[in-house]
Amino acid sequence: MACLLQLNNITKDFGGLRALRGVNLVVEEGGIHGLIGPNGAGKTTLFNIIAGVYSPTSGEIEFKGRNITRVRCHQVAGIGIARTFQNIQLFNEMTVLENAMMGRHCRTRTELLGAILRGRRVRKEESSIREWAEQLLDFLGLLHKKDDLAKNLPYGQQRTLEIGRALATEPALLLLDEPAAGMNPFERQHLVELIRRIRSQGHTIFLVEHDMKVVMGISDRISVLHFGEKIAEGTPSEVQRDRRVVEAYLGKGDKK
């Protein structure tokens, strides 16, 4: 597989606290790459750096061979990176369909004046966005809920919709921050199946996850952070056997 995302010696300081220490990591195109580690290991900080929320103190980020170290968060979707969050962030008072359409607007050409005047081209583009969003909801299994308010969806379907809104930007790389958090076993199984189907559509997935059954069962490769440093990397079976991972994250002697 070709390299899609490459992190080169990423370090991040917050005042006197060093959250990340010289992290090197490669996410291969077309794969599912897991990122695990104890609470406070730096996982979300790393995601925020990739997503342009933070700038690294030192180091560089390459995406599709381009240096994106100083790309800002509002520009990230445009270059092909989308993300979800630990805490679901939907437009709760909008419908399911409207949420999906909102994700699509970063790919539109309409400017402010055109949106106000709502000419023929704008109306045509809006119709195209609606049709595209309905196809996406059908893929997600949410088309029958399209007119429901997002806040009225069950928890698992809210997670699915947030992932769908990110997919609406047509990302090459999808960042999922603890997507299984708070899910029951049925919802987790649905999530695993959805992630596999998303990968089959040509998307690369990089996920942070605490649920070991999910991350070990779905990832092609896994990187492990501990106190801001990468301590291990490999296939799920290799990571499970790594003594440093067992002691730092999985629990000493616990290799399940």
Side-chain angles (χ1 to χ4, degrees):
M1 294 184 184
C3 169
L4 180 66
L5 175 74
Q6 184 168 335
L7 309 181
N8 300 313
N9 201 32
I10 296 295
T11 294
K12 180 60 181 178
D13 296 332
F14 293 100
L17 173 66
R18 176 149 290 182
L20 294 171
R21 303 167 182 268
V23 175
N24 294 292
L25 192 150
V26 170
V27 176
E28 295 181 336
E29 188 173 9
I32 300 175
H33 196 115
L35 181 65
I36 65 174
N39 288 330
K43 305 181 298 297
T44 296
T45 298
L46 190 66
F47 261 33
N48 282 333
I49 287 174
I50 297 168
V53 177
Y54 303 146
S55 294
T57 303
S58 62
E60 294 185 342
I61 308 168
E62 293 182 16
F63 179 65
K64 296 183 177 180
R66 170 189 171 188
N67 189 321
I68 64 164
T69 309
R70 302 303 169 189
V71 170
R72 297 179 179 265
C73 57
H74 66 275
Q75 300 171 313
V76 167
I79 65 174
I81 299 175
R83 72 169 296 181
T84 63
F85 298 85
Q86 290 181 20
N87 299 315
I88 297 172
Q89 297 189 15
L90 295 172
F91 298 103
N92 286 321
E93 299 299 328
M94 290 185 177
T95 67
V96 170
L97 179 60
E98 288 168 341
N99 269 271
M101 292 175 67
M102 285 294 293
R104 188 64 180 167
H105 277 288
C106 76
R107 298 297 178 194
T108 63
R109 299 179 179 178
T110 300
E111 297 179 351
L112 177 60
L113 181 60
I116 294 172
L117 298 177
R118 293 195 59 78
R120 181 185 303 174
R121 185 175 67 83
V122 174
R123 294 195 302 272
K124 182 178 180 180
E125 187 172 61
E126 193 75 12
S127 177
S128 176
I129 292 171
R130 177 178 292 271
E131 181 179 350
W132 198 97
E134 288 181 342
Q135 291 174 356
L136 174 62
L137 292 178
D138 189 34
F139 172 79
L140 298 171
L142 292 176
L143 185 58
H144 65 297
K145 298 276 190 176
K146 70 175 184 177
D147 296 322
D148 291 4
L149 292 180
K151 68 180 182 181
N152 293 333
L153 292 180
Y155 180 83
Q157 290 184 346
Q158 288 188 21
R159 281 282 183 194
T160 298
L161 179 57
E162 187 183 35
I163 292 172
R165 190 180 59 190
L167 284 176
T169 69
E170 291 190 273
L173 176 65
L174 179 61
L175 306 176
L176 301 179
D177 196 350
E178 297 191 34
M183 288 188 171
N184 61 41
F186 175 79
E187 291 168 337
R188 286 196 297 270
Q189 182 57 39
H190 174 77
L191 173 71
V192 167
E193 293 169 358
L194 175 62
I195 290 174
R196 286 175 175 152
R197 288 195 294 124
I198 291 170
R199 193 259 289 272
S200 74
Q201 297 293 309
H203 301 282
T204 302
I205 297 162
F206 189 19
L207 75 154
V208 167
E209 186 52 62
H210 279 299
D211 189 308
M212 288 296 100
K213 186 174 182 181
V214 170
V215 75
M216 294 293 175
I218 201 171
S219 301
D220 300 308
R221 293 187 65 78
I222 296 173
S223 300
V224 187
L225 293 182
H226 188 46
F227 292 117
E229 296 185 64
K230 189 178 78 173
I231 62 169
E233 187 172 83
T235 65
S237 61
E238 289 170 343
V239 167
Q240 285 177 305
R241 293 194 301 267
D242 192 291
R243 176 183 55 81
R244 294 165 299 176
V245 178
V246 172
E247 293 179 357
Y249 187 74
L250 299 179
K252 192 169 184 179
D254 181 3
K255 298 185 181 182
K256 66 180 180 181

